[in-house]
Amino acid sequence: MNPILAMQGISKAFAGVKALSDVSFSVAPGEIHAVVGENGAGKSTLMKVLSGVYPHGSYDGAIVFDGEERRFRDITESEALGIIIIHQELALIPLLSIAENIYLSNPPTTFGVINRGAVYRGALALLAKVGLNEAPDTRVIDLGVGKQQLVEIAKALSKDVRLLILDEPTASLNERDSEALLDLLVELRAQGISSILISHKLNEVARVADHITVLRDGRSVDTLDCRAGPVEEDRIIRSMVDRDLESRYPKREPVIGDVIFAVEDWSVFHPQDTGRRVIKGVDFQVRRGEIVGIAGLMGAGRTEFAMSVFGRSYGRQISGRARLEGREVDLSTVRRAVDAGLAYVTEDRKELGLILAEDIRKNMTLANLAAVAPGGVIDDMAELKVAQGYRSRMGIRSASVYQEAGQLSGGNQQKVVLSKWLFTEPKVLILDEPTRGIDIGAKYEIYCIINELADSGRGVIVISSEMPELLGICDRICVMNDGAFVGEFPAQDATQEKIMRAIMRNGEAKA
Ligand SMILES: Nc1ncnc2c1ncn2[C@@H]1O[C@H](COP(=O)(O)OP(=O)(O)OP(=O)(O)O)[C@@H](O)[C@H]1O
Ligand SMILES: [Mg+2]
């Protein structure tokens, strides 16, 4: 069968940095073709070339779609042919509703007037299809990133799609929602719709892909055929990093001391829906040297809890006490929380974590300028040294530390955000989905740094939707559901099944 898409000898450079070198790959009609590779390997760039974000003339090589060579000048031209891309960085308009976002560019009209009823009904049907249980008139700003991802997909399905490109669609979804999304891709495949799936979750890739193309340093190094039989994750990793990975999680002998941070009877109300209590009088503590995980489904209240603690960045009518090293502390603003020794690394790096127009170096020292500014004046050399240290430690792929954060690949941006907070040397570090969108090798490095922080007597709290990650790095795992803690396991007793059961048991009790 002729491929629906063939990309031939694609090369693309940014100001001297070669992002893609002679990449070729093709997609058959009705197949799921995965593209994998380390952070900065060139995956997103390749898809931006395909969809016309980078127009014809700004790259070398040819794109053949549906038997004809195409020279897209912008994204509308590729969309017109049914090539729909969902970017790694979501592109919804926060203050508009779900339905308005879905139909933004092509609303159903009756005699030239937007048909509001049709918009609502259409949105409802699409939301059901992607499994998102929210009213179409909910504003996007009130949804978490995971749900926003589903809105993006509903939006793509509202168009006449022939090739769906998903750049890390499940990075912010929990396992159940990821499963549902992958099932959706399989369903589309049965209808003859092809998709390109970019993901760092190799188990998912191995499960649904028909072919896997591996990019390394901007080159296509391998294409694996999965139709004959399942491809082992280790096989994919070997192609990605060109070596075997001994283990996914570094070993550690925890030395756990007394309680360093505790909140008591912590309650938080919803910022708009002011009668709704989002966090329901919870107690929580972390000890020196301890890594505590918080497990739960999307919407369980984990991020809301963390943000409300960190300078009341979320919610209203927050009540309860917080103690740091035994003393009650005032965490009422972000500044106070940081000064008290708290750091919160957010799951949404674009909104809360990074200044995209600033370079890597400035972003890294931002939250702890005092440390590189003795006497109030920034010491450029000291700042440079700090930034270069983290850049090499984290394996951040960039031209130099002077590169703008906005130009980095998604995973490399995440590494900059992490560096920034690690540099504040907090007493208590809260990490919210710290390895979202991060490649396998860099994850290991991040786990090592988390371990070092704990081993130096700090307390670390990790919120993650990836249960194997929590099981792999935590000393204790607390399970949250519906704004309350519903279970707790020491790491050695915890299993994925026990955690899920704790969540379900609680959900059923309420239903
Ligand atoms: N606008 C830009 N200006 C300069 N360099 C860029 C730009 N966009 C991407 N790059 C560089 O091109 C390389 C490939 O980036 P790309 O975003 O394609 O990586 P990726 O494989 O998608 O990584 P990730 O898994 O982290 O998302 C990186 O080194 C990145 O810094
Ligand atoms: Mg990318």
Side-chain angles (χ1 to χ4, degrees):
M1 210 176 336
N2 283 331
I4 183 166
L5 168 76
M7 295 187 81
Q8 299 164 342
I10 305 287
S11 296
K12 162 115 192 122
F14 296 102
V17 181
K18 201 127 207 199
L20 296 171
S21 316
D22 195 23
V23 172
S24 295
F25 90 115
S26 58
V27 178
E31 80 155 329
I32 299 175
H33 197 120
V35 177
V36 302
E38 290 184 284
N39 296 129
K43 305 177 296 292
S44 296
T45 305
L46 185 66
M47 293 307 121
K48 287 177 186 168
V49 165
L50 168 58
S51 58
V53 172
Y54 298 135
H56 181 256
S58 71
Y59 59 86
D60 292 326
I63 299 170
V64 178
F65 185 77
D66 227 3
E68 260 180 62
E69 188 177 345
R70 311 286 173 171
R71 298 178 172 167
F72 301 129
R73 277 168 297 186
D74 57 32
I75 190 157
T76 54
E77 294 192 351
S78 63
E79 279 199 356
L81 292 179
I83 301 175
I84 311 283
I85 183 167
I86 298 178
H87 291 285
Q88 187 167 12
E89 311 300 339
L90 301 179
L92 298 171
I93 300 178
L95 291 176
L96 292 184
S97 72
I98 293 177
E100 286 165 329
N101 266 288
I102 290 178
Y103 289 110
L104 200 60
S105 56
N106 57 339
T109 53
T110 316
F111 306 118
V113 178
I114 294 182
N115 181 337
R116 298 220 156 257
V119 165
Y120 193 91
R121 284 190 304 276
L124 210 55
L126 289 165
L127 291 180
K129 199 161 182 181
V130 299
L132 178 58
N133 192 11
E134 292 281 340
D137 50 10
T138 311
R139 287 188 314 172
V140 161
I141 196 174
D142 297 329
L143 302 172
V145 273
K147 290 185 178 178
Q148 291 186 18
Q149 182 72 65
L150 294 175
V151 174
E152 283 274 14
I153 291 160
K155 182 176 172 179
L157 295 180
S158 78
K159 301 170 190 166
D160 197 6
V161 49
R162 297 190 58 212
L163 175 62
L164 183 63
I165 304 167
L166 298 148
D167 195 347
E168 290 188 42
T170 63
S172 55
L173 302 186
N174 61 47
E175 287 189 27
R176 208 165 57 176
D177 293 331
S178 300
E179 290 275 303
L181 174 65
L182 296 176
D183 288 344
L184 191 65
L185 287 189
V186 170
E187 204 183 303
L188 293 174
R189 170 170 69 188
Q191 297 166 25
I193 298 172
S194 309
S195 47
I196 297 176
L197 172 66
I198 296 177
S199 176
H200 288 289
K201 297 185 180 172
L202 300 179
N203 54 343
E204 299 182 351
V205 165
R207 180 160 89 74
V208 299
D210 300 299
H211 286 97
I212 302 171
T213 289
V214 182
L215 293 189
R216 197 196 314 144
D217 293 331
R219 296 174 185 279
S220 36
V221 294
D222 220 343
T223 292
L224 309 170
D225 188 343
C226 321
R227 291 165 310 174
V231 170
E232 297 284 326
E233 268 179 67
D234 287 342
R235 171 73 190 80
I236 309 173
I237 294 170
R238 217 178 311 132
S239 270
M240 277 173 62
V241 303
D242 202 19
R243 65 191 145 90
D244 280 310
L245 225 54
E246 302 279 298
S247 150
R248 302 278 176 90
Y249 304 101
K251 288 211 183 357
R252 163 166 169 267
E253 298 290 335
V255 181
I256 295 174
D258 32 329
V259 173
I260 183 164
F261 181 63
V263 297
E264 291 157 18
D265 198 17
W266 196 261
S267 278
V268 179
F269 283 81
H270 194 277
Q272 279 91 33
D273 188 358
T274 47
R276 193 164 120 213
R277 198 155 67 126
V278 182
I279 302 297
K280 302 173 175 168
V282 303
D283 295 331
F284 178 84
Q285 56 185 42
V286 54
R287 296 172 170 273
R288 285 180 199 282
E290 189 183 35
I291 303 175
V292 183
I294 306 183
L297 299 180
M298 196 165 68
R302 296 171 299 167
T303 293
E304 289 79 359
F305 172 60
M307 285 178 68
S308 67
V309 169
F310 187 65
R312 305 200 176 163
S313 314
Y314 171 88
R316 286 171 59 140
Q317 287 173 264
I318 297 169
S319 62
R321 284 171 308 282
R323 283 180 214 284
L324 200 82
E325 297 177 314
R327 275 189 302 276
E328 195 155 327
V329 278
D330 174 8
L331 303 176
S332 58
T333 65
V334 169
R335 188 71 255 166
R336 284 181 189 147
V338 172
D339 288 345
L342 231 61
Y344 170 61
V345 182
T346 163
E347 64 172 334
D348 191 345
R349 56 185 170 252
K350 224 161 121 190
E351 281 294 312
L352 298 165
L354 275 183
I355 301 177
L356 296 176
E358 282 281 15
D359 63 25
I360 295 176
R361 173 193 51 152
K362 289 288 174 206
N363 270 290
M364 280 183 179
T365 54
L366 198 66
N368 191 15
L369 275 180
V372 289
V377 182
I378 293 181
D379 175 346
D380 285 337
M381 280 316 288
E383 190 177 45
L384 185 65
K385 225 168 127 193
V386 167
Q388 279 173 338
Y390 279 109
R391 174 170 175 262
S392 74
R393 183 80 206 273
M394 296 270 207
I396 294 173
R397 198 160 181 267
S398 67
S400 72
V401 292
Y402 298 112
Q403 194 169 2
E404 271 179 32
Q407 295 179 348
L408 296 178
S409 78
N412 283 310
Q413 288 183 353
Q414 179 73 350
K415 294 180 196 170
V416 175
V417 177
L418 261 168
S419 307
K420 163 179 148 181
W421 289 111
L422 295 175
F423 181 53
T424 66
E425 307 203 321
K427 291 175 181 160
V428 176
L429 179 65
I430 309 172
L431 298 161
D432 197 340
E433 304 289 356
T435 63
R436 206 183 109 193
I438 296 228
D439 68 57
I440 296 254
K443 274 184 185 168
Y444 190 88
E445 261 314 304
I446 288 169
Y447 300 145
C448 289
I449 296 174
I450 291 174
N451 286 353
E452 274 171 28
L453 277 168
D455 293 344
S456 66
R458 296 147 209 268
V460 182
I461 300 162
V462 182
I463 297 172
S464 174
S465 301
E466 286 188 49
M467 268 194 250
E469 173 170 280
L470 290 180
L471 295 167
I473 64 171
C474 296
D475 303 313
R476 178 160 61 93
I477 297 173
C478 300
V479 185
M480 192 171 231
N481 192 34
D482 200 16
F485 286 104
V486 297
E488 184 179 320
F489 305 95
Q492 60 271 27
D493 297 352
T495 62
Q496 204 150 322
E497 209 193 330
K498 281 187 189 168
I499 294 172
M500 275 320 285
R501 227 182 290 141
I503 295 173
M504 295 306 171
R505 201 169 43 233
N506 184 262
E508 276 161 24
K510 262 194 215 60

